[in-house]
Amino acid sequence: MPQPASAAPSPDSPHYPPVEPYDHGRLDVGDGNLVYWEVCGNPGGKAALVVHGGPGSGCGPTMRRYFDPARYRVVLFDQRNCGRSTPHASDPATDLRHNTTDHLIADMERLRVHLGIDKWLLYGGSWGSTLILAYAERHPERVSEIVISAVTTTRRSEIDWLYRGAGQIFPEEWERFRDGGVPEDERNGDGAGGDGGGDLFELLAAYARLTESPDPAVRERATADWCAWEDAVLAQEPHGSARPYSDRPPAARLALVRICAHYFSHAAWLEEGALLRGADRLAGIPGVLVHGRFDLGGPLVTAWELARAWKDARLVIVEDAGHKGSVTERLAVRAALDDFAGR
């Protein structure tokens, strides 16, 4: 099989030229789920796995382009019930009971075995960083290096910040988000009741129920309210789309919100602080953590705490970036992947 020629990115771009998969498929992971995967780059190159965010965002072609296609064998996959994996969470009949962090870790291991890979580099960001850390702490012998952008560990404190604490900066937008999680016939005259929203995880669970309603209007309203809040939190960032959540195609948007609400209402089925406490299991795995100084969606403190707990990790703080990143942030990611390509 011909191997891609090495082609450096242009000086003003963090991306290598576009590359198409040379292999792809859907892996049967049980419980009626088929997980989409694809491989691109050099079949004999260094193995790397891209772990997308969301949860529920799915992979896109730009994610392939951080890797030198002459030196990497890049694997991408769509996590359960999103992207090109089936069944899709945009269908309210799709059962998400078999979509948890443990299921996704097992899917990654099945994919590694299916592709005949002994060890691989892991790259991802946002929710993807949580899943990377959970996998690597479970299977450290299968991980060669880790590159993470927009570091999260999905602690309850992090979820609370994103879906309530940031309301101190955006109070009007948070009130709309709070009220959106309450069916109209259950609201008091002042919206959700003027009690500050009650228990946050009950609110997130309410959104999960609304996004699986048999009424498409209810699903669409809850999806729009959730996306409006997510967009508001990132609205002050100078880079990227002003509506990164709301502008997604309808089915992808509904699947994303439904899976996010499902995961975050359960705190991703992780014990509070477990990934930071377990960082000693990453000893000997080199890592690079790239995080924007002005990330309101996932404040810098989590990356700082992880870098202190994981002695083999290097933290790169990007002064012009938030959660959506920047050219500077993406250049730092590509530089880390280029450095690791020769190991």
Side-chain angles (χ1 to χ4, degrees):
M1 182 180 297
Q3 298 177 1
S6 185
S10 65
D12 59 347
S13 170
H15 299 130
Y16 283 90
V19 60
E20 294 300 317
Y22 65 80
D23 196 9
H24 70 278
R26 285 187 172 88
L27 181 65
D28 187 341
V29 295
D31 309 311
N33 282 281
L34 299 176
V35 167
Y36 174 84
W37 59 269
E38 62 184 35
V39 190
C40 58
N42 181 350
K46 180 184 184 73
L49 179 70
V50 175
V51 184
H52 68 69
S57 290
C59 277
T62 302
M63 297 177 182
R64 309 168 187 157
R65 298 178 58 195
Y66 290 109
F67 299 85
D68 183 344
R71 297 193 289 171
Y72 273 105
R73 177 189 180 192
V74 185
V75 181
L76 301 92
F77 76 111
D78 291 331
Q79 295 160 30
R80 290 191 182 206
N81 308 126
C82 72
R84 291 149 290 187
S85 294
T86 60
H88 202 262
S90 60
D91 180 351
T94 296
D95 188 347
L96 299 187
R97 285 181 300 168
H98 301 295
N99 189 339
T100 70
T101 303
D102 278 347
H103 284 99
L104 299 186
I105 292 170
D107 293 348
M108 293 162 69
E109 264 298 273
R110 285 193 184 95
L111 182 57
R112 183 190 63 77
V113 171
H114 177 73
L115 296 175
I117 293 170
D118 181 50
K119 298 179 76 168
W120 46 13
L121 175 149
L122 304 179
Y123 162 66
S126 193
W127 158 255
S129 64
T130 293
L131 185 53
I132 283 171
L133 294 168
Y135 173 91
E137 291 180 14
R138 185 85 55 88
H139 302 286
E141 73 284 358
R142 298 303 180 188
V143 181
S144 56
E145 302 90 10
I146 293 173
V147 178
I148 289 174
S149 60
V151 178
T152 71
T153 65
T154 315
R155 289 174 290 181
R156 286 165 178 79
S157 57
E158 295 170 52
I159 298 169
D160 187 87
W161 165 260
L162 177 56
Y163 294 107
R164 176 161 51 189
Q168 297 175 69
I169 304 170
F170 307 104
E172 181 180 355
E173 292 84 353
W174 189 82
E175 185 177 278
R176 286 199 296 268
F177 173 68
R178 182 200 66 188
D179 290 357
V182 181
E184 289 190 31
D185 60 355
E186 296 179 17
R187 295 180 190 172
N188 297 332
D190 61 346
D195 61 352
D199 181 82
L200 174 68
F201 292 89
E202 291 179 6
L203 175 64
L204 301 181
Y207 268 101
R209 291 190 294 272
L210 291 170
T211 57
E212 59 189 25
S213 167
D215 185 341
V218 171
R219 298 197 302 272
E220 179 55 35
R221 168 67 186 273
T223 300
D225 288 340
W226 183 288
C227 290
W229 168 249
E230 296 269 15
D231 288 343
V233 174
L234 306 184
Q236 304 305 308
E237 295 187 10
H239 306 290
S241 167
R243 290 162 45 96
Y245 289 84
S246 299
D247 284 345
R248 295 169 189 249
R253 187 172 64 238
L254 175 55
L256 172 65
V257 173
R258 189 176 172 209
I259 294 171
C260 280
H262 172 64
Y263 268 75
F264 297 148
S265 63
H266 290 92
W269 299 272
L270 296 169
E271 291 186 12
E272 182 70 354
L275 298 182
L276 287 174
R277 288 196 306 275
D280 60 319
R281 293 187 55 77
L282 305 176
I285 301 175
V288 176
L289 311 175
V290 182
H291 204 98
R293 172 77 72 182
F294 301 106
D295 186 340
L296 281 182
L300 176 60
V301 64
T302 297
W304 175 261
E305 291 169 341
L306 179 60
R308 294 182 64 145
W310 176 14
K311 301 306 181 184
D312 294 288
R314 175 171 60 91
L315 175 59
V316 179
I317 300 173
V318 183
E319 298 294 345
D320 72 343
H323 199 75
K324 293 184 290 186
S326 67
V327 171
T328 309
E329 180 264 345
R330 288 185 276 277
L331 285 168
V333 168
R334 198 202 72 212
L337 294 171
D338 285 348
D339 286 346
F340 287 145
R343 288 185 82 252

PDB file of all heavy atoms in Angstrom, residues 60-92:
ATOM      1  N   GLY A  60     -14.227  14.612  13.183  1.00  0.00           N
ATOM      2  CA  GLY A  60     -14.267  15.330  11.916  1.00  0.00           C
ATOM      3  C   GLY A  60     -12.928  15.231  11.204  1.00  0.00           C
ATOM      4  O   GLY A  60     -11.911  14.903  11.824  1.00  0.00           O
ATOM      5  N   PRO A  61     -12.895  15.524   9.910  1.00  0.00           N
ATOM      6  CA  PRO A  61     -11.667  15.353   9.133  1.00  0.00           C
ATOM      7  C   PRO A  61     -10.514  16.236   9.572  1.00  0.00           C
ATOM      8  O   PRO A  61      -9.351  15.879   9.376  1.00  0.00           O
ATOM      9  CB  PRO A  61     -12.103  15.673   7.698  1.00  0.00           C
ATOM     10  CG  PRO A  61     -13.385  16.431   7.822  1.00  0.00           C
ATOM     11  CD  PRO A  61     -14.033  15.935   9.063  1.00  0.00           C
ATOM     12  N   THR A  62     -10.798  17.390  10.185  1.00  0.00           N
ATOM     13  CA  THR A  62      -9.705  18.256  10.630  1.00  0.00           C
ATOM     14  C   THR A  62      -8.857  17.576  11.685  1.00  0.00           C
ATOM     15  O   THR A  62      -7.643  17.835  11.785  1.00  0.00           O
ATOM     16  CB  THR A  62     -10.265  19.583  11.176  1.00  0.00           C
ATOM     17  OG1 THR A  62     -11.035  20.221  10.157  1.00  0.00           O
ATOM     18  CG2 THR A  62      -9.149  20.521  11.611  1.00  0.00           C
ATOM     19  N   MET A  63      -9.449  16.685  12.481  1.00  0.00           N
ATOM     20  CA  MET A  63      -8.707  16.017  13.540  1.00  0.00           C
ATOM     21  C   MET A  63      -7.577  15.155  12.996  1.00  0.00           C
ATOM     22  O   MET A  63      -6.591  14.906  13.695  1.00  0.00           O
ATOM     23  CB  MET A  63      -9.654  15.170  14.385  1.00  0.00           C
ATOM     24  CG  MET A  63     -10.712  15.973  15.114  1.00  0.00           C
ATOM     25  SD  MET A  63     -11.853  14.900  16.035  1.00  0.00           S
ATOM     26  CE  MET A  63     -12.986  16.116  16.707  1.00  0.00           C
ATOM     27  N   ARG A  64      -7.718  14.689  11.759  1.00  0.00           N
ATOM     28  CA  ARG A  64      -6.655  13.878  11.152  1.00  0.00           C
ATOM     29  C   ARG A  64      -5.406  14.702  10.864  1.00  0.00           C
ATOM     30  O   ARG A  64      -4.304  14.167  10.780  1.00  0.00           O
ATOM     31  CB  ARG A  64      -7.131  13.291   9.810  1.00  0.00           C
ATOM     32  CG  ARG A  64      -8.443  12.574   9.819  1.00  0.00           C
ATOM     33  CD  ARG A  64      -8.898  12.331   8.383  1.00  0.00           C
ATOM     34  NE  ARG A  64     -10.253  11.767   8.298  1.00  0.00           N
ATOM     35  CZ  ARG A  64     -11.034  11.878   7.227  1.00  0.00           C
ATOM     36  NH1 ARG A  64     -10.595  12.535   6.154  1.00  0.00           N
ATOM     37  NH2 ARG A  64     -12.231  11.340   7.229  1.00  0.00           N
ATOM     38  N   ARG A  65      -5.586  15.999  10.733  1.00  0.00           N
ATOM     39  CA  ARG A  65      -4.554  16.827  10.115  1.00  0.00           C
ATOM     40  C   ARG A  65      -3.541  17.408  11.099  1.00  0.00           C
ATOM     41  O   ARG A  65      -2.678  18.172  10.710  1.00  0.00           O
ATOM     42  CB  ARG A  65      -5.224  17.947   9.305  1.00  0.00           C
ATOM     43  CG  ARG A  65      -6.078  17.414   8.161  1.00  0.00           C
ATOM     44  CD  ARG A  65      -6.765  18.516   7.411  1.00  0.00           C
ATOM     45  NE  ARG A  65      -5.801  19.472   6.884  1.00  0.00           N
ATOM     46  CZ  ARG A  65      -6.128  20.683   6.425  1.00  0.00           C
ATOM     47  NH1 ARG A  65      -7.389  21.094   6.479  1.00  0.00           N
ATOM     48  NH2 ARG A  65      -5.196  21.489   5.963  1.00  0.00           N
ATOM     49  N   TYR A  66      -3.640  17.035  12.377  1.00  0.00           N
ATOM     50  CA  TYR A  66      -2.589  17.405  13.329  1.00  0.00           C
ATOM     51  C   TYR A  66      -1.388  16.458  13.239  1.00  0.00           C
ATOM     52  O   TYR A  66      -0.345  16.733  13.822  1.00  0.00           O
ATOM     53  CB  TYR A  66      -3.138  17.386  14.755  1.00  0.00           C
ATOM     54  CG  TYR A  66      -4.108  18.499  15.046  1.00  0.00           C
ATOM     55  CD1 TYR A  66      -5.465  18.245  15.211  1.00  0.00           C
ATOM     56  CD2 TYR A  66      -3.670  19.816  15.150  1.00  0.00           C
ATOM     57  CE1 TYR A  66      -6.363  19.264  15.485  1.00  0.00           C
ATOM     58  CE2 TYR A  66      -4.565  20.845  15.416  1.00  0.00           C
ATOM     59  CZ  TYR A  66      -5.902  20.556  15.586  1.00  0.00           C
ATOM     60  OH  TYR A  66      -6.790  21.577  15.850  1.00  0.00           O
ATOM     61  N   PHE A  67      -1.551  15.357  12.533  1.00  0.00           N
ATOM     62  CA  PHE A  67      -0.550  14.300  12.496  1.00  0.00           C
ATOM     63  C   PHE A  67       0.172  14.275  11.157  1.00  0.00           C
ATOM     64  O   PHE A  67      -0.470  14.356  10.095  1.00  0.00           O
ATOM     65  CB  PHE A  67      -1.223  12.937  12.710  1.00  0.00           C
ATOM     66  CG  PHE A  67      -1.930  12.797  14.022  1.00  0.00           C
ATOM     67  CD1 PHE A  67      -3.242  13.249  14.178  1.00  0.00           C
ATOM     68  CD2 PHE A  67      -1.303  12.210  15.105  1.00  0.00           C
ATOM     69  CE1 PHE A  67      -3.910  13.112  15.385  1.00  0.00           C
ATOM     70  CE2 PHE A  67      -1.969  12.073  16.325  1.00  0.00           C
ATOM     71  CZ  PHE A  67      -3.264  12.525  16.462  1.00  0.00           C
ATOM     72  N   ASP A  68       1.483  14.113  11.190  1.00  0.00           N
ATOM     73  CA  ASP A  68       2.269  13.920   9.970  1.00  0.00           C
ATOM     74  C   ASP A  68       1.849  12.590   9.350  1.00  0.00           C
ATOM     75  O   ASP A  68       2.091  11.524   9.929  1.00  0.00           O
ATOM     76  CB  ASP A  68       3.757  13.911  10.313  1.00  0.00           C
ATOM     77  CG  ASP A  68       4.651  13.779   9.091  1.00  0.00           C
ATOM     78  OD1 ASP A  68       4.152  13.388   8.014  1.00  0.00           O
ATOM     79  OD2 ASP A  68       5.858  14.054   9.220  1.00  0.00           O
ATOM     80  N   PRO A  69       1.231  12.600   8.160  1.00  0.00           N
ATOM     81  CA  PRO A  69       0.706  11.347   7.607  1.00  0.00           C
ATOM     82  C   PRO A  69       1.791  10.374   7.164  1.00  0.00           C
ATOM     83  O   PRO A  69       1.492   9.195   6.940  1.00  0.00           O
ATOM     84  CB  PRO A  69      -0.134  11.822   6.409  1.00  0.00           C
ATOM     85  CG  PRO A  69       0.478  13.128   6.015  1.00  0.00           C
ATOM     86  CD  PRO A  69       0.939  13.760   7.296  1.00  0.00           C
ATOM     87  N   ALA A  70       3.025  10.848   7.051  1.00  0.00           N
ATOM     88  CA  ALA A  70       4.112   9.945   6.696  1.00  0.00           C
ATOM     89  C   ALA A  70       4.648   9.193   7.912  1.00  0.00           C
ATOM     90  O   ALA A  70       5.292   8.153   7.770  1.00  0.00           O
ATOM     91  CB  ALA A  70       5.245  10.726   6.036  1.00  0.00           C
ATOM     92  N   ARG A  71       4.363   9.721   9.111  1.00  0.00           N
ATOM     93  CA  ARG A  71       4.958   9.111  10.302  1.00  0.00           C
ATOM     94  C   ARG A  71       3.930   8.496  11.249  1.00  0.00           C
ATOM     95  O   ARG A  71       4.307   7.742  12.144  1.00  0.00           O
ATOM     96  CB  ARG A  71       5.780  10.157  11.058  1.00  0.00           C
ATOM     97  CG  ARG A  71       6.968  10.683  10.253  1.00  0.00           C
ATOM     98  CD  ARG A  71       7.935  11.460  11.130  1.00  0.00           C
ATOM     99  NE  ARG A  71       7.383  12.749  11.547  1.00  0.00           N
ATOM    100  CZ  ARG A  71       7.958  13.539  12.453  1.00  0.00           C
ATOM    101  NH1 ARG A  71       9.077  13.155  13.057  1.00  0.00           N
ATOM    102  NH2 ARG A  71       7.410  14.706  12.771  1.00  0.00           N
ATOM    103  N   TYR A  72       2.676   8.815  11.068  1.00  0.00           N
ATOM    104  CA  TYR A  72       1.644   8.319  11.983  1.00  0.00           C
ATOM    105  C   TYR A  72       0.644   7.409  11.274  1.00  0.00           C
ATOM    106  O   TYR A  72       0.260   7.648  10.120  1.00  0.00           O
ATOM    107  CB  TYR A  72       0.869   9.484  12.594  1.00  0.00           C
ATOM    108  CG  TYR A  72       1.485  10.072  13.846  1.00  0.00           C
ATOM    109  CD1 TYR A  72       2.143  11.297  13.807  1.00  0.00           C
ATOM    110  CD2 TYR A  72       1.391   9.406  15.065  1.00  0.00           C
ATOM    111  CE1 TYR A  72       2.686  11.857  14.965  1.00  0.00           C
ATOM    112  CE2 TYR A  72       1.925   9.951  16.222  1.00  0.00           C
ATOM    113  CZ  TYR A  72       2.572  11.173  16.173  1.00  0.00           C
ATOM    114  OH  TYR A  72       3.105  11.706  17.318  1.00  0.00           O
ATOM    115  N   ARG A  73       0.200   6.409  12.003  1.00  0.00           N
ATOM    116  CA  ARG A  73      -0.979   5.617  11.656  1.00  0.00           C
ATOM    117  C   ARG A  73      -2.082   6.110  12.582  1.00  0.00           C
ATOM    118  O   ARG A  73      -2.117   5.780  13.766  1.00  0.00           O
ATOM    119  CB  ARG A  73      -0.711   4.132  11.874  1.00  0.00           C
ATOM    120  CG  ARG A  73      -1.892   3.204  11.609  1.00  0.00           C
ATOM    121  CD  ARG A  73      -1.562   1.797  12.073  1.00  0.00           C
ATOM    122  NE  ARG A  73      -2.665   0.872  11.848  1.00  0.00           N
ATOM    123  CZ  ARG A  73      -2.727  -0.362  12.360  1.00  0.00           C
ATOM    124  NH1 ARG A  73      -1.729  -0.808  13.119  1.00  0.00           N
ATOM    125  NH2 ARG A  73      -3.758  -1.141  12.111  1.00  0.00           N
ATOM    126  N   VAL A  74      -2.984   6.931  12.065  1.00  0.00           N
ATOM    127  CA  VAL A  74      -3.946   7.661  12.892  1.00  0.00           C
ATOM    128  C   VAL A  74      -5.297   6.949  12.870  1.00  0.00           C
ATOM    129  O   VAL A  74      -5.888   6.744  11.803  1.00  0.00           O
ATOM    130  CB  VAL A  74      -4.115   9.117  12.406  1.00  0.00           C
ATOM    131  CG1 VAL A  74      -5.024   9.883  13.363  1.00  0.00           C
ATOM    132  CG2 VAL A  74      -2.758   9.801  12.294  1.00  0.00           C
ATOM    133  N   VAL A  75      -5.783   6.606  14.053  1.00  0.00           N
ATOM    134  CA  VAL A  75      -7.081   5.954  14.211  1.00  0.00           C
ATOM    135  C   VAL A  75      -8.048   6.971  14.799  1.00  0.00           C
ATOM    136  O   VAL A  75      -7.732   7.649  15.780  1.00  0.00           O
ATOM    137  CB  VAL A  75      -6.976   4.730  15.152  1.00  0.00           C
ATOM    138  CG1 VAL A  75      -8.341   4.046  15.281  1.00  0.00           C
ATOM    139  CG2 VAL A  75      -5.911   3.758  14.660  1.00  0.00           C
ATOM    140  N   LEU A  76      -9.221   7.089  14.197  1.00  0.00           N
ATOM    141  CA  LEU A  76     -10.294   7.922  14.730  1.00  0.00           C
ATOM    142  C   LEU A  76     -11.528   7.049  14.913  1.00  0.00           C
ATOM    143  O   LEU A  76     -11.732   6.087  14.149  1.00  0.00           O
ATOM    144  CB  LEU A  76     -10.616   9.092  13.800  1.00  0.00           C
ATOM    145  CG  LEU A  76      -9.478  10.066  13.484  1.00  0.00           C
ATOM    146  CD1 LEU A  76      -8.738   9.640  12.207  1.00  0.00           C
ATOM    147  CD2 LEU A  76     -10.006  11.483  13.312  1.00  0.00           C
ATOM    148  N   PHE A  77     -12.344   7.369  15.914  1.00  0.00           N
ATOM    149  CA  PHE A  77     -13.594   6.620  16.092  1.00  0.00           C
ATOM    150  C   PHE A  77     -14.663   7.551  16.640  1.00  0.00           C
ATOM    151  O   PHE A  77     -14.356   8.536  17.324  1.00  0.00           O
ATOM    152  CB  PHE A  77     -13.394   5.403  17.003  1.00  0.00           C
ATOM    153  CG  PHE A  77     -13.280   5.713  18.474  1.00  0.00           C
ATOM    154  CD1 PHE A  77     -14.291   5.337  19.359  1.00  0.00           C
ATOM    155  CD2 PHE A  77     -12.167   6.360  18.990  1.00  0.00           C
ATOM    156  CE1 PHE A  77     -14.186   5.612  20.715  1.00  0.00           C
ATOM    157  CE2 PHE A  77     -12.051   6.627  20.355  1.00  0.00           C
ATOM    158  CZ  PHE A  77     -13.066   6.262  21.216  1.00  0.00           C
ATOM    159  N   ASP A  78     -15.900   7.248  16.313  1.00  0.00           N
ATOM    160  CA  ASP A  78     -17.049   7.965  16.861  1.00  0.00           C
ATOM    161  C   ASP A  78     -17.559   7.168  18.054  1.00  0.00           C
ATOM    162  O   ASP A  78     -17.908   5.998  17.926  1.00  0.00           O
ATOM    163  CB  ASP A  78     -18.160   8.101  15.823  1.00  0.00           C
ATOM    164  CG  ASP A  78     -17.800   9.051  14.685  1.00  0.00           C
ATOM    165  OD1 ASP A  78     -17.008   9.977  14.924  1.00  0.00           O
ATOM    166  OD2 ASP A  78     -18.305   8.855  13.564  1.00  0.00           O
ATOM    167  N   GLN A  79     -17.576   7.803  19.223  1.00  0.00           N
ATOM    168  CA  GLN A  79     -18.013   7.110  20.426  1.00  0.00           C
ATOM    169  C   GLN A  79     -19.478   6.672  20.290  1.00  0.00           C
ATOM    170  O   GLN A  79     -20.197   7.124  19.389  1.00  0.00           O
ATOM    171  CB  GLN A  79     -17.798   8.020  21.635  1.00  0.00           C
ATOM    172  CG  GLN A  79     -16.321   8.313  21.895  1.00  0.00           C
ATOM    173  CD  GLN A  79     -16.074   9.546  22.733  1.00  0.00           C
ATOM    174  OE1 GLN A  79     -16.880   9.919  23.584  1.00  0.00           O
ATOM    175  NE2 GLN A  79     -14.942  10.207  22.505  1.00  0.00           N
ATOM    176  N   ARG A  80     -19.919   5.813  21.148  1.00  0.00           N
ATOM    177  CA  ARG A  80     -21.254   5.211  21.024  1.00  0.00           C
ATOM    178  C   ARG A  80     -22.344   6.254  20.788  1.00  0.00           C
ATOM    179  O   ARG A  80     -22.374   7.300  21.430  1.00  0.00           O
ATOM    180  CB  ARG A  80     -21.601   4.415  22.282  1.00  0.00           C
ATOM    181  CG  ARG A  80     -20.804   3.144  22.455  1.00  0.00           C
ATOM    182  CD  ARG A  80     -21.359   2.277  23.559  1.00  0.00           C
ATOM    183  NE  ARG A  80     -20.524   1.082  23.732  1.00  0.00           N
ATOM    184  CZ  ARG A  80     -20.950  -0.068  24.231  1.00  0.00           C
ATOM    185  NH1 ARG A  80     -22.208  -0.185  24.633  1.00  0.00           N
ATOM    186  NH2 ARG A  80     -20.138  -1.094  24.345  1.00  0.00           N
ATOM    187  N   ASN A  81     -23.214   5.941  19.823  1.00  0.00           N
ATOM    188  CA  ASN A  81     -24.476   6.658  19.594  1.00  0.00           C
ATOM    189  C   ASN A  81     -24.308   8.065  19.024  1.00  0.00           C
ATOM    190  O   ASN A  81     -25.252   8.861  19.060  1.00  0.00           O
ATOM    191  CB  ASN A  81     -25.320   6.715  20.873  1.00  0.00           C
ATOM    192  CG  ASN A  81     -25.513   5.360  21.510  1.00  0.00           C
ATOM    193  OD1 ASN A  81     -25.221   5.176  22.688  1.00  0.00           O
ATOM    194  ND2 ASN A  81     -25.965   4.381  20.750  1.00  0.00           N
ATOM    195  N   CYS A  82     -23.123   8.394  18.477  1.00  0.00           N
ATOM    196  CA  CYS A  82     -22.947   9.698  17.834  1.00  0.00           C
ATOM    197  C   CYS A  82     -22.131   9.543  16.555  1.00  0.00           C
ATOM    198  O   CYS A  82     -21.603   8.467  16.268  1.00  0.00           O
ATOM    199  CB  CYS A  82     -22.274  10.695  18.784  1.00  0.00           C
ATOM    200  SG  CYS A  82     -20.526  10.388  19.101  1.00  0.00           S
ATOM    201  N   GLY A  83     -22.039  10.632  15.797  1.00  0.00           N
ATOM    202  CA  GLY A  83     -21.291  10.592  14.544  1.00  0.00           C
ATOM    203  C   GLY A  83     -21.855   9.558  13.603  1.00  0.00           C
ATOM    204  O   GLY A  83     -23.055   9.520  13.321  1.00  0.00           O
ATOM    205  N   ARG A  84     -20.996   8.648  13.156  1.00  0.00           N
ATOM    206  CA  ARG A  84     -21.409   7.585  12.229  1.00  0.00           C
ATOM    207  C   ARG A  84     -21.632   6.257  12.940  1.00  0.00           C
ATOM    208  O   ARG A  84     -21.852   5.231  12.284  1.00  0.00           O
ATOM    209  CB  ARG A  84     -20.360   7.441  11.123  1.00  0.00           C
ATOM    210  CG  ARG A  84     -20.327   8.651  10.181  1.00  0.00           C
ATOM    211  CD  ARG A  84     -18.956   8.910   9.612  1.00  0.00           C
ATOM    212  NE  ARG A  84     -18.064   9.409  10.671  1.00  0.00           N
ATOM    213  CZ  ARG A  84     -16.825   9.855  10.452  1.00  0.00           C
ATOM    214  NH1 ARG A  84     -16.350   9.864   9.227  1.00  0.00           N
ATOM    215  NH2 ARG A  84     -16.074  10.281  11.457  1.00  0.00           N
ATOM    216  N   SER A  85     -21.574   6.257  14.278  1.00  0.00           N
ATOM    217  CA  SER A  85     -21.880   5.053  15.045  1.00  0.00           C
ATOM    218  C   SER A  85     -23.395   4.882  15.151  1.00  0.00           C
ATOM    219  O   SER A  85     -24.146   5.858  15.116  1.00  0.00           O
ATOM    220  CB  SER A  85     -21.258   5.139  16.438  1.00  0.00           C
ATOM    221  OG  SER A  85     -19.841   5.135  16.356  1.00  0.00           O
ATOM    222  N   THR A  86     -23.812   3.643  15.285  1.00  0.00           N
ATOM    223  CA  THR A  86     -25.241   3.345  15.343  1.00  0.00           C
ATOM    224  C   THR A  86     -25.529   2.425  16.529  1.00  0.00           C
ATOM    225  O   THR A  86     -24.656   1.666  16.948  1.00  0.00           O
ATOM    226  CB  THR A  86     -25.709   2.670  14.043  1.00  0.00           C
ATOM    227  OG1 THR A  86     -24.982   1.443  13.857  1.00  0.00           O
ATOM    228  CG2 THR A  86     -25.492   3.571  12.845  1.00  0.00           C
ATOM    229  N   PRO A  87     -26.790   2.495  17.054  1.00  0.00           N
ATOM    230  CA  PRO A  87     -27.864   3.434  16.720  1.00  0.00           C
ATOM    231  C   PRO A  87     -27.528   4.833  17.213  1.00  0.00           C
ATOM    232  O   PRO A  87     -26.700   4.999  18.108  1.00  0.00           O
ATOM    233  CB  PRO A  87     -29.071   2.855  17.460  1.00  0.00           C
ATOM    234  CG  PRO A  87     -28.465   2.133  18.625  1.00  0.00           C
ATOM    235  CD  PRO A  87     -27.178   1.555  18.134  1.00  0.00           C
ATOM    236  N   HIS A  88     -28.174   5.842  16.611  1.00  0.00           N
ATOM    237  CA  HIS A  88     -27.822   7.238  16.858  1.00  0.00           C
ATOM    238  C   HIS A  88     -28.705   7.844  17.936  1.00  0.00           C
ATOM    239  O   HIS A  88     -29.911   7.604  17.984  1.00  0.00           O
ATOM    240  CB  HIS A  88     -27.984   8.026  15.555  1.00  0.00           C
ATOM    241  CG  HIS A  88     -27.192   9.282  15.511  1.00  0.00           C
ATOM    242  ND1 HIS A  88     -27.729  10.514  15.805  1.00  0.00           N
ATOM    243  CD2 HIS A  88     -25.884   9.501  15.194  1.00  0.00           C
ATOM    244  CE1 HIS A  88     -26.794  11.443  15.669  1.00  0.00           C
ATOM    245  NE2 HIS A  88     -25.656  10.855  15.306  1.00  0.00           N
ATOM    246  N   ALA A  89     -28.082   8.647  18.807  1.00  0.00           N
ATOM    247  CA  ALA A  89     -28.823   9.222  19.934  1.00  0.00           C
ATOM    248  C   ALA A  89     -29.848  10.259  19.521  1.00  0.00           C
ATOM    249  O   ALA A  89     -30.681  10.661  20.341  1.00  0.00           O
ATOM    250  CB  ALA A  89     -27.853   9.839  20.937  1.00  0.00           C
ATOM    251  N   SER A  90     -29.833  10.719  18.280  1.00  0.00           N
ATOM    252  CA  SER A  90     -30.872  11.653  17.832  1.00  0.00           C
ATOM    253  C   SER A  90     -32.229  10.980  17.744  1.00  0.00           C
ATOM    254  O   SER A  90     -33.264  11.667  17.725  1.00  0.00           O
ATOM    255  CB  SER A  90     -30.502  12.255  16.473  1.00  0.00           C
ATOM    256  OG  SER A  90     -30.361  11.240  15.496  1.00  0.00           O
ATOM    257  N   ASP A  91     -32.262   9.658  17.694  1.00  0.00           N
ATOM    258  CA  ASP A  91     -33.514   8.897  17.728  1.00  0.00           C
ATOM    259  C   ASP A  91     -33.875   8.675  19.197  1.00  0.00           C
ATOM    260  O   ASP A  91     -33.128   8.006  19.930  1.00  0.00           O
ATOM    261  CB  ASP A  91     -33.321   7.556  17.022  1.00  0.00           C
ATOM    262  CG  ASP A  91     -34.587   6.713  17.007  1.00  0.00           C
ATOM    263  OD1 ASP A  91     -35.573   7.073  17.691  1.00  0.00           O
ATOM    264  OD2 ASP A  91     -34.583   5.667  16.322  1.00  0.00           O
ATOM    265  N   PRO A  92     -34.996   9.219  19.677  1.00  0.00           N
ATOM    266  CA  PRO A  92     -35.330   9.072  21.103  1.00  0.00           C
ATOM    267  C   PRO A  92     -35.534   7.625  21.528  1.00  0.00           C
ATOM    268  O   PRO A  92     -35.506   7.331  22.729  1.00  0.00           O
ATOM    269  CB  PRO A  92     -36.617   9.890  21.254  1.00  0.00           C
ATOM    270  CG  PRO A  92     -37.196   9.970  19.886  1.00  0.00           C
ATOM    271  CD  PRO A  92     -36.023   9.993  18.949  1.00  0.00           C
TER     272      PRO A  92
END
